[in-house]
Amino acid sequence: MAVNSTVVLTLILLALMFGAGVTSSVWGFTIGREALQGTTQPDVRPSNNAGSGKPGKTASKDQVSILKEKDILTTVKARVEGRDPEKTAQANTKTEKASSKPAAAKKPAAQNASAKFPLNSRDGGITLEVSAASQRNNSMLLDVSMKNEGSQAVRFLYSFLNVTDDRGRALSATAEDLPSELPPNGQVFYGTVSIPTALLENAKEVSLTLTDYPGQKLQLQISGIPVAK
């Protein structure tokens, strides 16, 4: 039986193509395996992190810490001035801790200050008393009372009321509901003295001084009135 030459040639070509394909596949697999040596697949198993509520080791290593703007500015300023940023940061931390302690110690002082009331002054049978201090809106209000246990009526002009703080600064104040004339019957009259809080910046205490009108013979003075906070 004669073999057709065309069929033989076709078979030979098919064998060559199959061999070339197998050779290319093996060669590509070998090259890819060598290129991926040392590369490992990341551990993405859910059992490591899921449900534990705690980040894995990889997450803790790659976690990015956010710096505070204050720390960044402090570091830049220290570098510009030629100082060590670490020492500057440590000094600032010590300063903040030291400043926080006096602030905590001031709270009992404020409570003690409120315990000073009532404060009063007496001269010539006239008594001026401050029973409380409080803040309302933009004013500090002093609850005051006056009485006359003398033998004669006494007049007052409250524009002569002198108010100063512990730094010696004169403050503007307004007296309300206080009588212009105190009768000699011992009756107690109540009123308020209003001081704008804008004038009390950095002040801890205020003092009141009042005299009669027009004689100005009496000297009613109350010092150490704590500023209401």
Side-chain angles (χ1 to χ4, degrees):
M1 182 177 179
V3 179
N4 192 338
S5 59
T6 302
V7 174
V8 174
L9 181 59
T10 302
L11 294 175
I12 293 173
L13 290 175
L14 290 174
L16 291 174
M17 291 175 61
F18 179 76
V22 172
T23 303
S24 299
S25 300
V26 173
W27 185 39
F29 176 77
T30 303
I31 294 176
R33 186 174 183 180
E34 292 178 355
L36 294 176
Q37 285 183 353
T39 303
T40 59
Q41 182 180 1
D43 189 0
V44 293
R45 291 176 296 176
S47 60
N48 289 342
N49 299 327
S52 63
K54 297 180 180 180
K57 295 181 179 180
T58 304
S60 62
K61 291 181 180 179
D62 298 337
Q63 187 177 2
V64 179
S65 60
I66 301 176
L67 298 178
K68 296 182 180 179
E69 181 181 359
K70 181 180 179 181
D71 296 338
I72 296 175
L73 295 176
T74 302
T75 302
V76 172
K77 183 178 179 181
R79 292 187 182 278
V80 171
E81 296 177 355
R83 294 182 283 108
D84 188 351
E86 294 184 0
K87 293 182 178 179
T88 303
Q90 293 176 357
N92 291 340
T93 302
K94 292 180 180 179
T95 302
E96 291 177 357
K97 290 182 178 179
S99 61
S100 63
K101 292 181 179 179
K106 288 180 181 178
K107 292 183 178 179
Q111 296 175 355
N112 293 337
S114 62
K116 290 182 178 179
F117 295 110
L119 301 172
N120 57 67
S121 176
R122 181 181 175 87
D123 188 12
I126 307 297
T127 301
L128 173 66
E129 181 176 284
V130 178
S131 57
S134 61
Q135 277 200 14
R136 184 181 304 169
N137 298 329
N138 296 322
S139 298
M140 172 180 168
L141 300 181
L142 301 179
D143 295 337
V144 300
S145 62
M146 299 180 68
K147 65 179 178 178
N148 181 3
E149 298 176 316
S151 58
Q152 296 180 349
V154 180
R155 297 182 59 191
F156 290 95
L157 190 62
Y158 295 103
S159 59
F160 285 175
L161 179 64
N162 184 25
V163 182
T164 58
D165 63 9
D166 50 347
R167 298 189 173 190
R169 296 177 298 184
L171 307 177
S172 174
T174 303
E176 299 178 357
D177 301 329
L178 292 176
S180 58
E181 182 174 321
L182 282 178
N185 56 7
Q187 180 181 354
V188 180
F189 295 87
Y190 298 92
T192 58
V193 174
S194 175
I195 307 171
T197 54
L199 304 178
L200 296 171
E201 184 178 3
N202 299 325
K204 297 180 180 179
E205 296 179 345
V206 296
S207 301
L208 301 181
T209 303
L210 180 65
T211 186
D212 60 311
Y213 178 81
Q216 298 186 13
K217 297 178 180 180
L218 303 178
Q219 189 72 13
L220 301 171
Q221 183 174 7
I222 301 179
S223 303
I225 304 171
V227 174
K229 299 296 184 181

